């Protein structure tokens, strides 16, 4: 019986590949799935360090970037910049405000889409799919980033941190999107670069999952059996609809 169930699961997956029309929506993570947000943050950090040290920078941008990774504050919180300045004994209220301005401007100005994102979204729209953003950024930043890279009009719905009052891997983002669109988990594909925050919770809910490996900058995470499809480039997802 166990072998029979295993074979049926394999057959079902093959059928889903052959008959992808059952999919009605694609839920995209935003940062590091549509564009390289880490690269933009690193460049913003470089600009902050150049301002603080008046162009005489001896540290790599990664030194400041690591403050955002500590988990003491949020990944986007200005307090990370404050802690760096205080630990380096260069904090002033005026300088801190300027650094926050540089940070926000630098993140936006240095955003670059991954290759073929626009063309791929065009083709997905032509297939009649609903396209959704599910992000841990707040609505203000999500709208600003999507506007900056020219993608805002592609999406039927944006589910942000302030939409649900939670962040992934809490399932609220996914459940909110399903309810708003009136679709079932099996009719939905989730695309994201984070195994723990995108793939795992989506699979638990029964959504199909496509792991955006090209955008995953976190080394050493367990990736086996955590997703249905692996994307080496953004446009690879079109293979799921052929």
């Amino acid at each position: 019986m166990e072998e029979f169930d295993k074979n049926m699961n394999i057959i079902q997956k093959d059928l889903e590949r052959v008959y992808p029309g059952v999919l009605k929506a694609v839920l995209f993570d935003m940062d590091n799935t549509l564009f390289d947000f880490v690269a933009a943050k690193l460049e913003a950090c470089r600009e902050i360090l150049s301002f603080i040290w008046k162009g005489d920078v001896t540290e790599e941008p990664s030194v400041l970037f690591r403050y955002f990774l500590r988990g003491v504050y949020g990944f986007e919180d200005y307090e990370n910049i404050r802690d760096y300045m205080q630990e380096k004994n260069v904090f002033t209220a005026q300088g801190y405000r300027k650094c926050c301005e540089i940070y926000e401007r630098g993140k936006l100005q240095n955003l670059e889409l991954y290759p073929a994102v626009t063309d791929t979204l065009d083709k997905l729209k032509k297939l009649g799919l609903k396209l959704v953003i599910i992000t841990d950024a707040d609505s203000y930043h999500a709208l600003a980033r999507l506007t900056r890279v020219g993608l805002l009009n592609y999406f039927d719905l944006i589910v942000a941190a302030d939409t649900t009052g939670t962040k992934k891997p809490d399932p609220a983002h996914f459940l909110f999107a399903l309810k708003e669109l009136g679709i079932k988990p099996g009719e939905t594909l989730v695309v994201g670069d984070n195994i723990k925050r995108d793939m795992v919770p989506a699979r638990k809910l029964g959504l199909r999952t496509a792991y955006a490996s090209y955008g995953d900058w976190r080394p050493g995470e367990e990736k086996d059996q955590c997703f249905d499809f692996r994307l080496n480039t953004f446009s690879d997802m079109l293979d799921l609809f052929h």
Side-chain angles (χ1 to χ4, degrees):
M1 188 67 181
E2 184 176 342
E3 185 66 21
F4 175 79
D5 289 340
K6 182 178 179 182
N7 290 333
M8 286 302 294
N9 286 334
I10 294 173
I11 292 170
Q12 179 64 29
K13 282 190 176 294
D14 288 341
L15 286 173
E16 289 172 355
R17 285 177 179 270
V18 176
Y19 301 105
V22 69
L23 284 177
K24 295 181 179 180
V26 184
L27 277 52
F28 292 95
D29 173 54
M30 185 177 65
D31 299 335
N32 302 307
T33 296
L34 300 176
F35 43 73
D36 192 337
F37 188 55
V38 168
K41 274 181 69 83
L42 282 168
E43 183 59 24
C45 288
R46 186 195 66 76
E47 293 172 7
I48 289 171
L49 294 180
S50 181
F51 168 75
I52 290 174
W53 302 111
K54 298 178 172 38
D56 186 20
V57 183
T58 59
E59 294 179 322
E60 293 296 319
S62 58
V63 174
L64 175 54
F65 180 70
R66 282 197 290 270
Y67 279 73
F68 290 90
L69 301 178
R70 299 171 301 165
V72 177
Y73 312 107
F75 187 56
E76 290 301 295
D77 288 357
Y78 297 147
E79 285 87 347
N80 296 296
I81 300 172
R82 182 197 62 197
D83 282 3
Y84 171 86
M85 296 179 75
Q86 288 179 338
E87 291 183 19
K88 299 293 183 178
N89 296 315
V90 292
F91 179 86
T92 65
Q94 183 178 0
Y96 174 54
R97 285 194 297 271
K98 181 63 176 178
C99 285
C100 294
E101 293 172 6
I102 292 171
Y103 175 66
E104 284 300 325
R105 184 177 65 248
K107 283 189 302 178
L108 270 183
Q109 290 182 341
N110 292 289
L111 287 177
E112 291 189 13
L113 290 174
Y114 288 117
V117 167
T118 303
D119 288 344
T120 301
L121 293 179
D122 278 330
K123 291 172 181 175
L124 294 177
K125 292 293 280 188
K126 288 177 181 177
L127 291 172
L129 293 160
K130 295 290 186 181
L131 305 184
V132 178
I133 289 291
I134 47 170
T135 178
D136 283 344
D138 60 35
S139 296
Y140 172 82
H141 286 108
L143 291 171
R145 291 171 201 169
L146 292 171
T147 300
R148 168 67 182 174
V149 296
L151 295 184
L152 183 60
N153 291 334
Y154 281 97
F155 296 100
D156 301 281
L157 177 67
I158 297 174
V159 185
D162 52 322
T163 307
T164 65
T166 64
K167 292 187 177 183
K168 299 176 286 183
D170 189 292
H173 277 41
F174 306 103
L175 295 172
F176 184 92
L178 294 176
K179 183 178 180 180
E180 285 293 303
L181 296 178
I183 55 177
K184 301 174 182 177
E187 300 171 331
T188 310
L189 176 70
V190 173
V191 181
D193 67 293
N194 193 308
I195 293 291
K196 294 178 180 178
R197 304 179 73 83
D198 297 318
M199 301 293 96
V200 172
R203 281 196 109 190
K204 285 181 179 178
L205 293 174
L207 286 78
R208 301 185 205 180
T209 51
Y211 168 52
S213 63
Y214 58 86
D216 193 348
W217 50 278
R218 308 160 192 83
E221 283 193 352
E222 178 55 51
K223 297 176 175 59
D224 292 339
Q225 307 302 316
C226 291
F227 49 86
D228 299 305
F229 310 104
R230 181 188 187 97
L231 307 178
N232 295 315
T233 67
F234 188 84
S235 60
D236 282 352
M237 75 180 68
L238 293 175
D239 294 337
L240 308 182
F241 299 91
H242 290 163

